[in-house]
Amino acid sequence: ALFDASTPEWQARCDGSTYGCFRARVARSPATGRYVLWINSYEGVIGYHVFQADDPAAPIEIRSAIANTGGIGATNATLQLAGNASITGGTLASFGTGSVSIAPGETATLDSVINEGLINALPGSILRISGAGVENNSVIAINPTSGLVPARLRAARNTALTGSGSLLLSANPANLDSAVIDAPPSFVLTNGST
């Protein structure tokens, strides 16, 4: 579904203990044909959340900056990060067949996030780790489909990947550079997970 307001993370974001979420609107973009859900809220960095999908039953996309004070989860669904989305703080989780994915050709940034689910950096995508880094207690898969187009885990500054989880690099045998960890010359990514 495009959006499920009954999940615990959205109930916590929009309940009476916060300023709430308001003026939710769904519209089909005449320019792209995609469905767009816009929710105003005071808890985000920029005061709103935007989700997009090809149809209301397709994977939802986060295309904004989110100050995550609780959790964001995908239960038997795919949550795609696109449009230079960034998530700062809180927990990312997936349940059942769910996953958090960085869409092909897109870049997403995680800063001070705890990962308790499956994060997939799909072919052609870049997963940037910034700030205090990511505590990975589950799986981060770089190029999980072993596609020919490179996927990257990139240090956006001196940062760390810690926790008890796994970092999987799935290179394609025809292009062993298709699952890449990189950083600008002056930055260091410290991997404390397995």
Side-chain angles (χ1 to χ4, degrees), residues 100-170:
V100 175
S101 295
I102 296 82
E106 300 285 353
T107 298
T109 302
L110 302 180
D111 179 351
S112 307
V113 169
I114 300 169
N115 176 39
E116 297 289 348
L118 173 59
I119 297 176
N120 288 320
L122 299 175
S125 70
I126 299 172
L127 171 57
R128 297 175 70 228
I129 306 295
S130 187
V134 171
E135 180 183 325
N136 178 30
N137 295 319
S138 190
V139 176
I140 297 175
I142 309 302
N143 198 2
T145 61
S146 300
L148 283 171
V149 178
R152 299 179 183 280
L153 175 69
R154 176 170 290 161
R157 59 195 297 176
N158 290 339
T159 191
L161 184 60
T162 62
S164 60
S166 297
L167 174 62
L168 303 177
L169 302 174
S170 299

Side-chain angles (χ1 to χ4, degrees), residues 7 22 120:
T7 61
F22 54 98
N120 288 320

Side-chain angles (χ1 to χ4, degrees), residues 35-157:
Y35 290 86
V36 179
L37 169 64
W38 179 287
I39 300 172
N40 289 329
S41 71
Y42 289 107
E43 55 84 36
V45 173
I46 54 177
Y48 60 87
H49 301 284
V50 177
F51 305 93
Q52 296 186 41
D54 291 327
D55 65 63
I60 63 169
E61 289 183 346
I62 294 177
R63 292 184 160 268
S64 60
I66 294 178
N68 183 17
T69 57
I72 299 172
T75 302
N76 298 325
T78 300
L79 171 64
Q80 287 189 342
L81 305 179
N84 286 316
S86 65
I87 299 176
T88 302
T91 300
L92 282 178
S94 63
F95 308 96
T97 60
S99 67
V100 175
S101 295
I102 296 82
E106 300 285 353
T107 298
T109 302
L110 302 180
D111 179 351
S112 307
V113 169
I114 300 169
N115 176 39
E116 297 289 348
L118 173 59
I119 297 176
N120 288 320
L122 299 175
S125 70
I126 299 172
L127 171 57
R128 297 175 70 228
I129 306 295
S130 187
V134 171
E135 180 183 325
N136 178 30
N137 295 319
S138 190
V139 176
I140 297 175
I142 309 302
N143 198 2
T145 61
S146 300
L148 283 171
V149 178
R152 299 179 183 280
L153 175 69
R154 176 170 290 161
R157 59 195 297 176

